């Protein structure tokens, strides 16, 4: 059992939890994920790691209510427990492998969408600690859905915000804001990283390509075990089938077949709607 | 003469009924049936069944005890060599091992050794028969990676000899393939698997779930930070193989591992569990091993019409004979000498068929089996809304990649000798992680040999 130390709602549909999982906390790196199970009857739900503290033995996860299982997660309170927490899973971000001196002075731009903003945070923190220059774009439909603004502003060089409806910051999509920052404001970057909904990562990649900017994306595919055993997470990258859980979750955006990845994400939509419906009438 | 008695048939669920439920297919022998079947054993002076058993269970000895109505003795005879008899009695390929060597099988039918083993194990569990004695703790710690058959067998022996054993399991439930791979209707989870694991725990073995060795901890950290004197790797053969044909990433195409894990480990077939599974109408399963049979029979129970496509003939099917027989009885269709060339999808990216080519058997390959060759121009299509690939697995590279000094073969298997000794001192390995996909009993045998080697290694330090 893995105790929830703190819980807060970041928006009506997004919650942040700090969970006691000492083994995960002491091995975690930016870019990795973990899998939780609420109870004996629950699904194994992959979530990106939003922060980790080896001394405290805690990991931070951010969950958005989407289906039956994520609603169950968000219904848990501090003091309650997850039945299971396993991780860290997947490969750390590429930059974790780089030598200390290599990162100093490199210029990163992060493009974060919705709940995908949370896992950007440990990456920015790591890069800043290793001397990189880091700007961050956070996008959401509307101001009320923006998360991690203060946290991100505290660690990055420059924070840009955009909302689809213009209720806060730049009015428009992250892609529009990225183009503006690079083309109009004249900012130059060595590397872009996009984490968010698959559709956002697809278009962020197209924009990055147009700008001649290399881009890494973090794929939130379907998973069961998360250790390479089932292949539910397979994605086509550079024409080859790869397992996002063990060979990812981060890949070169240029190489990812996003249309296939989006189609595969919807594989159990019908079953999920039924499950969700059942829960409501229970 | 004893061998005049025909082999006692085992009671099973009616095929029509069981094709729609997940209850165990085989009911097993009752006491009377077991005693009668046991009386058929000739008690050969030189029992070939024992040497054909990967863990050398003293078969004539336990059968003699069954014949004498002394089931408790039978259980303790088996327990000397096997830590998972209720499992092995159900899933071993007896026809190629003990029963395949039984002298009675030459002219008639072999003794039903598997069914007798199962009877003794079930009887012993239900009657709480006395278990094997445990030695005094010797103060040495051994880590076991993976709680499948290899790891459990290794842990059980080491604990029996007084070692402090911790098993690290990546999933949330112990059992490995017994839990995620083999379906409930063949191997009941609560009644059999959980009970056998409880026996291993009762021996003092600690099982820590949710630890992925290579990620959560490493082999090095187990030695350096956690004070283990030796490590046994029984991490299994995890990665599913695909064919690399067009259409394999369409919606509705699954590895058998995914399909079975959803059903077995995650209980997706039950309404009260949240994990979804596709309830397809027409399923094609590609492959001819036990895993293919398990996937086919699971899909059938979820309401599908099921066809197994296999590139060789029935003679070459690697599955246990009993599984093929059961699958046929339940209504699974077999299309032999057929090999998929493409999976066909609809405009939305979902499977709606599979294109195969007919095969004929050519010259024997290095495995001695005649290798199938395609018949030009013989393509045909089978309608399907789901395709399950049961083509075997390859070892998970995670541990080898994160452990220095641990060599692997070209196929990614860990290099280890007969006793499980790897290229790194103090690290032992066995089961599918070494051999590639094989059987429960071979993994168990490897776990036991490695346990003995670990004992010798630690005593030599």
């Amino acid at each position: 059992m893995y105790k929830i130390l703190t819980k807060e709602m970041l928006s009506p549909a997004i919650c942040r939890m700090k969970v006691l999982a000492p083994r995960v906390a002491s091995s975690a790196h930016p870019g990795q994920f973990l899998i939780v199970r609420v109870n004996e009857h629950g699904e194994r739900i992959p979530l990106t790691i939003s922060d980790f503290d080896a001394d405290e033995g805690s990991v931070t996860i951010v969950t958005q209510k989407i289906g039956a299982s994520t609603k169950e997660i968000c219904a848990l309170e501090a003091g309650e427990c997850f039945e299971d927490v396993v991780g860290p899973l997947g490969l750390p971000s590429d930059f974790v492998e780089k030598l200390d001196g290599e990162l100093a002075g490199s210029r990163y731009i992060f493009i974060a969408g919705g709940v995908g903003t949370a896992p950007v945070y440990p990456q920015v923190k790591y890069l800043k600690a290793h001397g990189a220059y880091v700007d961050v774009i956070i996008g959401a439909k509307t101001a009320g859905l923006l998360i991690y603004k203060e946290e991100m502003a505290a660690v990055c060089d420059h924070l840009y915000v955009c909302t689809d409806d213009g209720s806060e910051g730049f009015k428009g999509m992250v892609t529009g804001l990225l183009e503006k920052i690079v083309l109009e404001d004249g900012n130059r970057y060595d590397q872009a990283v996009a984490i968010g909904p698959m559709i956002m990562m697809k278009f962020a990649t197209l924009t990055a390509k147009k700008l001649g900017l290399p881009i890494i994306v973090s794929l939130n595919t379907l998973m069961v075990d998360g250790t390479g055993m089932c292949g539910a997470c397979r994605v086509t990258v550079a024409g080859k089938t790869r397992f996002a859980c063990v060979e990812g979750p981060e890949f070169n955006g240029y190489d990812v077949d996003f249309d296939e990845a989006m189609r595969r994400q919807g594989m159990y939509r019908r079953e999920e709607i039924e499950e969700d419906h059942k829960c409501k009438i229970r | 003469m004893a061998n005049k008695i025909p082999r006692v048939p085992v009671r099973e669920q009616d095929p029509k009924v069981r094709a729609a439920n997940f209850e165990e297919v085989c009911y097993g022998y009752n006491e009377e049936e077991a005693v009668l079947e046991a009386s058929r054993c000739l008690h050969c002076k030189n029992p070939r069944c024992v040497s054909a058993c990967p863990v050398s269970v003293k078969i004539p000895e336990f059968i003699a005890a069954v014949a004498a109505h002394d089931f408790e003795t039978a259980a303790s005879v088996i327990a000397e060599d096997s830590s998972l008899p209720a499992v092995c009695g159900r899933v071993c390929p007896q026809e190629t091992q003990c029963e395949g060597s039984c002298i009675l099988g030459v002219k008639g039918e072999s003794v039903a050794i598997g069914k007798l083993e199962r009877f003794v194990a079930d009887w012993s569990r239900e009657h709480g028969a006395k278990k094997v004695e445990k030695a005094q703790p010797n103060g040495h710690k051994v880590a076991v990676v993976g709680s499948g058959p290899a790891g459990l067998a290794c842990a059980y022996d080491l604990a029996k000899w007084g070692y402090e054993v911790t098993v690290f399991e990546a999933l949330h439930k112990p059992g490995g393939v017994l839990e995620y791979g083999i379906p409930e209707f063949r191997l009941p989870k609560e009644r059999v698997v959980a009970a056998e694991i409880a026996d291993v725990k009762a021996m003092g073995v600690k099982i820590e779930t949710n630890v992925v060795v290579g990620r959560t901890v490493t082999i090095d950290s187990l030695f350096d930070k956690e004070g283990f004197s030796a490590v046994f790797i029984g991490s299994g053969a995890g990665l599913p193989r695909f064919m690399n044909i067009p259409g394999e990433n369409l919606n509705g195409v699954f590895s058998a591992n995914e399909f079975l894990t959803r059903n077995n480990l995650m209980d997706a077939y039950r309404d009260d569990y949240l994990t979804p599974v596709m309830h397809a109408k027409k399923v094609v399963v590609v492959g001819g091993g036990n895993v293919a049979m398990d996937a086919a029979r699971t899909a059938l129970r979820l309401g599908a019409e099921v066809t197994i496509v296999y590139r060789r003939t029935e003679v070459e099917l690697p599955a246990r004979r009993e599984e093929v027989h059961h699958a046929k009885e339940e209504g699974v269709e077999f299309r032999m000498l057929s090999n998929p060339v493409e999976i066909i999808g609809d405009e939305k990216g979902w499977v709606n068929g599979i294109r195969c080519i007919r095969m004929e058997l050519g010259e024997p390959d290095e495995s001695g089996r005649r290798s199938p060759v395609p018949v030009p121009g013989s393509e045909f299509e089978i309608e399907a809304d789901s395709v399950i690939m049961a083509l075997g697995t390859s070892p998970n590279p995670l541990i080898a990649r994160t452990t220095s000094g641990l060599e692997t073969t070209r196929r990614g298997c860990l290099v280890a000798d007969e006793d499980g000794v790897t290229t790194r001192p103090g690290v032992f390995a066995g089961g599918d992680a070494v051999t590639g996909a094989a059987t429960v009993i071979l993994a168990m045998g490897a776990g036991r040999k490695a346990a003995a080697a670990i004992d010798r290694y630690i005593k030599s330090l």
Side-chain angles (χ1 to χ4, degrees):
Chain A
M1 300 290 264
Y2 302 79
K3 195 172 171 188
I4 299 165
L5 301 174
T6 62
K7 181 212 175 175
E8 66 204 292
M9 298 304 294
L10 299 179
S11 82
I14 301 177
C15 79
R16 172 163 61 191
M17 290 165 166
K18 204 189 258 189
V19 184
L20 195 62
R23 281 199 189 275
V24 185
S26 65
S27 310
H29 293 289
Q32 291 184 299
F33 64 98
L34 49 74
I35 282 182
V36 301
R37 212 167 61 114
V38 170
N39 56 40
E40 174 57 32
H41 293 235
E43 284 183 86
R44 291 171 66 92
I45 299 292
L47 298 168
T48 36
I49 298 173
S50 307
D51 208 354
F52 47 91
D53 182 337
D55 297 330
E56 191 183 38
S58 71
V59 288
T60 302
I61 50 174
V62 173
T63 315
Q64 181 171 18
K65 293 183 203 170
I66 296 169
S69 292
T70 44
K71 280 179 189 156
E72 274 189 358
I73 293 172
C74 291
L76 291 173
E77 297 297 339
E80 292 186 286
C81 290
F82 280 98
E83 183 83 21
D84 301 289
V85 176
V86 60
L89 300 169
L91 297 170
S93 301
D94 274 349
F95 55 73
V96 174
E97 304 294 318
K98 290 192 176 168
L99 299 171
D100 265 0
E102 274 184 274
L103 288 172
S106 18
R107 298 176 64 86
Y108 278 76
I109 174 89
F110 281 83
I111 301 135
V115 73
T117 310
V120 165
Y121 177 69
Q123 301 206 11
V124 175
K125 222 164 71 166
Y126 181 96
L127 286 166
K128 283 304 295 176
H130 290 78
Y133 176 89
V134 187
D135 285 349
V136 178
I137 297 173
I138 302 182
K141 279 203 180 84
T142 183
L145 296 175
L146 287 164
I147 60 166
Y148 268 77
K149 266 186 317 185
E150 291 77 28
E151 293 88 336
M152 208 68 86
V155 291
C156 73
D157 286 284
H158 204 104
L159 177 68
Y160 299 91
V161 171
C162 65
T163 49
D164 294 4
D165 62 0
S167 52
E168 188 169 339
F170 177 87
K171 182 177 192 302
M173 309 274 187
V174 288
T175 46
L177 184 50
L178 175 63
E179 280 194 53
K180 179 185 172 297
I181 294 168
V182 174
L183 297 178
E184 290 177 28
D185 305 349
N187 286 290
R188 183 191 60 78
Y189 300 102
D190 303 310
Q191 179 72 54
V193 180
I195 308 183
M198 206 69 95
I199 186 91
M200 183 210 87
M201 294 191 284
K202 173 184 171 174
F203 284 100
T205 298
L206 290 174
T207 303
K209 209 169 192 172
K210 207 163 75 183
L211 299 172
L213 187 57
I215 185 166
I216 297 285
V217 295
S218 177
L219 301 183
N220 50 333
T221 58
L222 294 180
M223 288 182 192
V224 184
D225 62 290
T227 64
M229 215 177 75
C230 80
C233 65
R234 58 195 193 276
V235 287
T236 302
V237 181
K240 277 176 75 180
T241 294
R242 308 284 292 273
F243 287 8
C245 70
V246 287
E247 299 175 279
E250 298 190 343
F251 293 101
N252 178 352
Y254 291 6
D255 294 338
V256 174
D257 182 342
F258 285 104
D259 292 336
E260 180 191 274
M262 282 187 274
R263 164 168 59 68
R264 290 184 57 79
Q265 256 188 340
M267 189 115 59
Y268 293 98
R269 203 148 285 157
R270 200 175 45 208
E271 284 84 352
E272 275 161 13
I273 290 165
E274 277 172 22
E275 199 60 61
D276 205 24
H277 185 65
K278 221 163 53 190
C279 287
K280 275 186 211 135
I281 57 171
R282 214 173 261 159
Chain B
M1 272 224 344
N3 57 4
K4 292 270 168 64
I5 305 166
R7 178 165 159 139
V8 179
V10 71
R11 289 164 292 114
E12 289 172 347
Q13 255 200 87
D14 180 271
K16 282 198 192 70
V17 176
R18 73 182 191 237
N21 71 44
F22 281 85
E23 304 297 312
E24 193 172 15
V25 168
C26 176
Y27 293 126
Y29 286 149
N30 60 26
E31 292 190 14
E32 200 184 328
E33 290 162 338
V35 171
L36 181 61
E37 179 62 23
S39 73
R40 297 178 64 231
C41 179
L42 298 180
H43 299 284
C44 307
K45 266 203 188 114
N46 201 349
R48 300 198 304 185
C49 52
V50 178
S51 39
C53 171
V55 295
S56 310
V57 168
K58 298 174 199 74
I59 293 164
E61 206 177 307
F62 98 75
I63 290 182
V66 174
H69 255 275
D70 185 358
F71 308 133
E72 199 169 330
T73 300
S76 57
V77 170
I78 296 175
E80 283 170 32
D81 300 295
S82 171
S83 47
L84 304 167
V87 173
C88 294
R90 286 170 167 85
V91 306
C92 264
Q94 287 96 2
E95 72 265 22
T96 59
Q97 299 176 356
C98 54
E99 294 182 24
S101 311
C102 176
I103 205 84
L104 280 185
V106 177
K107 281 188 177 163
E109 285 192 287
S110 63
V111 175
I113 301 169
K115 296 287 181 283
L116 287 172
E117 181 185 27
R118 170 190 160 146
F119 165 77
V120 171
D122 288 356
W123 184 93
S124 149
R125 187 178 61 248
E126 282 152 22
H127 291 77
K130 208 172 67 172
K131 294 290 167 191
V132 181
E133 292 291 320
K134 182 183 181 274
Q136 284 294 312
N138 65 17
H140 295 287
K141 283 172 72 179
V142 179
V144 170
V145 182
S147 63
L152 289 175
C154 182
Y156 182 87
D157 276 4
L158 288 167
K160 192 166 69 182
W161 302 330
Y163 289 92
E164 187 187 332
V165 185
T166 304
V167 179
F168 295 100
E169 167 57 47
L171 295 171
H172 57 263
K173 258 190 201 170
V177 72
L178 310 176
E179 187 58 51
Y180 75 75
I182 304 176
E184 178 75 18
F185 55 82
R186 203 147 80 77
L187 185 64
K189 303 293 162 243
E190 274 311 304
R191 196 156 47 85
V192 179
V193 180
E196 302 250 38
I197 288 167
D199 283 352
V200 176
K201 281 185 178 168
M203 193 54 85
V205 172
K206 193 176 145 206
I207 302 181
E208 198 179 326
T209 52
N210 297 328
V211 177
V212 182
V213 175
R215 286 270 176 266
T216 316
V217 298
T218 59
I219 300 287
D220 288 298
S221 73
L222 292 177
F223 281 114
D224 303 340
K225 293 189 188 153
E226 305 203 24
F228 290 100
S229 308
V231 176
F232 172 75
I233 302 169
S235 52
L239 304 189
R241 290 213 187 99
F242 289 91
M243 296 182 78
N244 296 316
I245 57 172
E248 262 182 324
N249 288 350
L250 287 167
N251 287 14
V253 182
F254 308 99
S255 73
N257 263 9
E258 175 182 355
F259 183 68
L260 291 171
T261 300
R262 285 180 182 275
N263 272 286
N264 302 338
L265 175 74
M266 307 307 297
D267 297 277
Y269 70 93
R270 289 173 52 166
D271 276 346
D272 54 339
Y273 283 74
L274 284 184
T275 300
V277 67
M278 184 177 170
H279 286 71
K281 291 185 182 72
K282 288 188 177 209
V283 175
V284 167
V285 177
V286 182
N290 287 321
V291 174
M293 301 303 138
D294 287 346
R297 296 169 70 202
T298 298
L300 190 90
R301 283 160 170 75
L302 291 174
E305 277 176 39
V306 184
T307 305
I308 287 181
V309 167
Y310 180 59
R311 61 199 184 118
R312 292 180 156 104
T313 71
E314 187 162 344
V315 187
E316 287 90 12
L317 278 174
R320 291 175 81 214
R321 207 187 301 142
E322 190 179 0
E323 309 311 326
V324 177
H325 169 69
H326 281 160
K328 282 186 176 168
E329 275 189 340
E330 289 164 11
V332 173
E333 203 191 311
F334 285 74
R335 294 286 281 268
M336 297 299 164
L337 288 169
S338 303
N339 204 30
V341 289
E342 183 185 358
I343 301 168
I344 310 154
D346 64 16
E347 67 286 352
K348 286 186 173 157
W350 285 81
V351 172
N352 65 8
I354 182 167
R355 184 173 297 125
C356 302
I357 188 162
R358 263 185 241 300
M359 309 292 276
E360 57 189 9
L361 290 183
E363 296 300 307
D365 62 11
E366 69 241 36
S367 74
R369 295 188 298 182
R370 291 175 65 192
S371 54
V373 286
V375 179
S378 67
E379 282 94 345
F380 63 98
E381 285 178 15
I382 306 175
E383 192 192 328
D385 54 348
S386 178
V387 172
I388 299 171
M389 292 292 183
L391 304 157
T393 53
S394 53
N396 195 322
L398 196 51
I399 292 175
R401 278 190 198 154
T402 54
T403 311
S404 59
L406 207 53
E407 274 176 35
T408 54
T409 65
R410 207 160 33 87
R411 292 178 144 190
C413 298
L414 295 175
V415 172
D417 71 9
E418 277 281 281
D419 291 325
V421 177
T422 69
T423 51
R424 178 164 166 173
V427 179
F428 300 77
D432 286 5
V434 171
T435 56
T439 61
V440 167
I441 188 71
L442 284 170
M444 250 186 70
R448 300 198 70 214
K449 277 185 191 152
I454 289 169
D455 183 45
R456 288 194 298 274
Y457 168 78
I458 290 179
K459 282 180 177 152
S460 77
L461 288 177

